[in-house]
Amino acid sequence: MLPQHLSAALLELDASHSRRTRLTLESPQGAQIRVDGRDYLAFASNDYLGLANHPALIEAAREGLARWGLGGGASHLVAGHFGAHQQAEDELAAFVGTPAALLFGSGYAANLAVITSLLGRDDAVFADRLNHASLNDACLLSRAAFKRFRHNDLDHLESLLKSTPARSRLIAVDAVYSMDGDEAPLVELLRLAERYDAWLYLDDAHGFGVFGEGRGSMAEQGIAGERLIYMATLGKAAGVAGAFVAGSAELIDWLVNKARTYIFTTAQPPALAEAVRASLSLIAGEPWRRERLTQHIELLRHTLSGVKYPLQASRSPIQPLMIGGNEQVMTLSARLRAEGLWVPAIRPPTVPEGSARLRISLSAAHEAGQVQRLADAIIAMS
C-alpha cells in the first residue's frame, strides 16, 4: 500500500467499526486501572493470577538489576546468556516436566523459532483454524505445506494427515484458544501424532499457570513424550514477560543452533529471568489463586446463564460473551466503560465475521463483588 492510500484505508476501517486504538494506562496492571484520568474495574488483561504487580516479582527484578545490570548486551550465543537465564530455564523445564527449556523474548518469537527451524519445503504443518496469528505466521514462513483443519475436528485432521505426503510433519494447536477459551483435545492429538509420525506443538499461552496445578495444559491432560513440544508465555498468568519452549534436550539444542528468532536477537534483561523464578514459586506455592479464579468463573457463568448474549463454553479465565456485529459490540463495550467497567470488544479479523464478542478476562486479583458488578451491568444492558 502506497502512502497516498493510507487515509482512505483508515476511513474504511472506521466505516466498518474495525479501526483499533490503544489505551494508555496510568497505573500498574491490576483489577483496577487508571486510563485518561479515570479509574476502571478492568476485565481486559491476561494477568490471570494477579501477579503482574506482585511485590515478590518486583523485588526479584530489583535484586536482579542490582546483580546483573539492566541490558542483556548481546545475543545469547555471543555474550548475553547470563546465569539468571540458565537458572530460569532449568527451573521452567523441571516445573513443566521436560528435560530442557529455552527462553524467548515473546511467544510470537518462540512460535516462529520452533516451526521454521523444524520444517521446510518438503514438510507439512497441520494447524487448527482457530490458532493464534503467530502460529499461522510461523506456518507460512516455514514454507512447508500448510494444512488447516476445522476447529478441534480430529477426523478432519486425520484425513489431512493421511492424504498429505511429507518428509516431516508437525501438528500445531493452541492448548487453550485465546478468543474462545476452549481447549484442544491433547490426548487424542498426541495419539494422531504418534500414529502419523508427527511432532505435536502446543502453544499453552493461556493454560500455563492456570491448569495442571499451574504447570499447564500438558500436565492437566497427563501427556508426555519426545514428540511433544511445549510453549508457554510468561507475560500472562506468570506476570512477567517473554516465553519459553520446553522439550527434549536434543530439541532445545537444535533451537539454540537453528532458531533465527533466538540466534539473531539480544537477550532479554537477566533481571526478568529472576522475576520468572519468583513467579514460579508463587504459582506453585499459592494454589488459592487458582481456586479463587475458578470461583470467579463459576460465579460469572451462573449469573449470566439467562442473558440473551451467550457465553462460549469455557472453564478458562477467558469468558467470551458473543454479541455478533461490530457496531453492536462496540456500543456495548462503550456503555460498560461509561459505567466504569473496562471490557474489550473483539472484532474481525481477530475472530470470524459475525462473531464479534466481549472478551471477559477474569483474574485472581478480582474480588467476587467485582465480578458480580460486571454481571449485573451486562444483565441490565441485555
Side-chain angles (χ1 to χ4, degrees), residues 217-371:
S217 299
M218 188 167 63
E220 172 86 358
Q221 298 200 31
I223 58 172
E226 64 178 8
R227 66 181 63 248
L228 271 174
I229 308 170
Y230 182 83
M231 191 284 289
T233 53
L234 298 167
K236 297 181 176 65
V240 190
F244 70 99
V245 173
S248 69
E250 291 81 6
L251 169 72
I252 299 306
D253 193 16
W254 180 255
L255 294 178
V256 168
N257 282 275
K258 292 293 183 179
R260 295 173 66 84
T261 57
Y262 181 82
I263 297 168
F264 299 110
T265 192
T266 299
Q268 275 195 305
L272 288 180
E274 298 288 18
V276 167
R277 299 178 64 206
S279 177
L280 288 180
S281 295
L282 291 175
I283 292 171
E286 296 188 351
W288 65 263
R289 294 179 181 274
R290 287 181 293 281
E291 293 166 6
R292 175 181 284 183
L293 189 56
T294 299
Q295 292 167 2
H296 292 343
I297 294 166
E298 291 173 351
L299 172 61
L300 183 78
R301 296 193 66 83
H302 174 74
T303 308
L304 294 183
S305 60
V307 300
K308 68 176 181 180
Y309 304 117
L311 277 170
Q312 288 282 85
S314 168
R315 66 186 186 105
S316 80
I318 303 163
Q319 294 293 315
L321 193 69
M322 305 303 291
I323 308 301
N326 290 3
E327 184 176 4
Q328 191 178 9
V329 76
M330 292 297 290
T331 298
L332 185 54
S333 180
R335 290 178 65 191
L336 289 170
R337 194 174 304 175
E339 297 293 325
L341 298 162
W342 198 288
V343 186
I346 306 298
R347 296 154 289 163
T350 305
V351 294
E353 290 289 342
S355 68
R357 66 203 61 186
L358 292 177
R359 183 185 185 272
I360 302 168
S361 295
L362 297 173
S363 171
H366 290 123
E367 300 291 341
Q370 294 172 326
V371 178

Side-chain angles (χ1 to χ4, degrees), residues 156-207:
H156 188 205
L157 170 59
E158 184 167 20
S159 71
L160 293 174
L161 287 164
K162 284 180 178 178
S163 61
T164 306
R167 179 186 58 187
S168 297
R169 303 157 182 261
L170 182 145
I171 302 166
V173 297
D174 282 9
V176 178
Y177 287 89
S178 61
M179 291 298 127
D180 287 65
D182 61 339
E183 301 158 57
L186 301 185
V187 174
E188 294 83 357
L189 286 166
L190 181 57
R191 289 190 187 126
L192 286 177
E194 292 169 343
R195 186 178 307 157
Y196 292 96
D197 193 22
W199 294 98
L200 176 57
Y201 182 48
L202 311 180
D203 179 332
D204 200 25
H206 299 276

